[in-house]
Amino acid sequence: MALSPQTELYFIRHGIAAERGTYDHDEDRPLTDKGRARTKTIANQLVKVGCHTDLILSSPLVRAQQTTRILLKAELAATSETIALLAPGGHLADWLPWLAAWQATHPASRLALVGHEPDLSRWAQQLVHGMWGDLWQLKKAGVIGVTVPAAEEAIGRSELFWLTPPRLLL
Amino acid sequence: MALSPQTELYFIRHGIAAERGTYDHDEDRPLTDKGRARTKTIANQLVKVGCHTDLILSSPLVRAQQTTRILLKAELAATSETIALLAPGGHLADWLPWLAAWQATHPASRLALVGHEPDLSRWAQQLVHGMWGDLWQLKKAGVIGVTVPAAEEAIGRSELFWLTPPRLLL
């Protein structure tokens, strides 16, 4: 009997970025110096507490890409991939086919997803509860950990094992 | 206009205890040496990351009382109260009148609740989502943090800000 796949997802919100409205295009807003420094500390702390992943999936926006580079440097994963679905407004349901394909070759694995609010906490809530209500608080550079069974039955059947405000990692 | 009360609840599961069946009465099972040592480390770490509470409410069972004493010694709070409703099987709805009375004199406060699974994570899920499905993982000496509005409207309207496996605090 084939084992049911199990994937640990680490939803990581990008660090503190330049204020909204200070750049012509929202997607260009970079991390601030403070955001960069805190994200580095948090990345190192995540690795220190045993958080290693097989791959980082990242939103294409600058602040997420910079966060991903910091996570790679801290060796949270060896490689990253940019996926458009992690940009603001992406839907979980559209990503599940990617997850199913990944699980077919990686039955037990860990993935980091670097992106934006309110999307990340909504994806996580949908996985665990089948719905979302913006009742989970994911601060900048905070982390939500969810264990996901086979992608086809993930919604409403995943398990929350971690939700961490950044202050716990600084 | 009176401000709406807001209470931060920290649900803390007791530390590792003697195996089930090794004592005549389940409520007498104490923490093991390992459980005691890890709970001390976690208690100190909680205080170090800024977790201070106004009061610890504790289940009457030995393993919870011992956990509470360790938390008091680490100065997570100055005082504790034992409440029977935190023993296994207690219902959140039965505790909300206590919370309402507390909030009447403490509009903004932090409470730690030391008890057992699956009750603690069910109470927390009920507060945030109005229902529970055993989809949140609270390990021994783990913590769930929930921000609760006025007790009368707390169920399904509270916010999850923290869920921490003990490995993050060791």
Side-chain angles (χ1 to χ4, degrees), chain B residues 38-164:
Chain B
R38 288 171 66 124
T39 305
K40 271 183 199 168
T41 306
I42 288 166
N44 289 327
Q45 192 62 20
L46 282 174
V47 171
K48 203 175 137 197
V49 300
C51 180
H52 298 280
T53 63
D54 298 286
L55 178 65
I56 301 175
L57 298 178
S58 178
S59 145
L61 274 59
V62 168
R63 55 196 183 276
Q65 293 280 320
Q66 289 178 325
T67 300
T68 295
R69 274 202 293 279
I70 292 169
L71 292 169
L72 286 170
K73 207 166 166 197
E75 301 185 352
L76 187 95
T79 49
S80 72
E81 233 174 72
T82 299
I83 61 170
L85 274 170
L86 281 173
H91 294 294
L92 172 66
D94 296 332
W95 177 67
L96 289 178
W98 185 99
L99 179 62
W102 166 267
Q103 286 180 328
T105 48
H106 302 78
S109 69
R110 293 168 159 196
L111 293 171
L113 283 77
V114 176
H116 309 268
E117 277 294 274
D119 305 285
L120 291 184
S121 64
R122 288 180 178 177
W123 284 32
Q125 284 180 66
Q126 264 192 286
L127 285 167
V128 175
H129 293 286
M131 58 174 107
W132 48 263
D134 290 333
L135 296 165
W136 295 11
Q137 216 180 75
L138 182 61
K139 298 206 170 176
K140 293 195 179 79
V143 180
I144 295 176
V146 170
T147 305
V148 175
E152 299 73 24
E153 53 180 40
I155 290 183
R157 302 187 58 183
S158 302
E159 194 176 35
L160 175 69
F161 66 90
W162 196 356
L163 185 146
T164 303

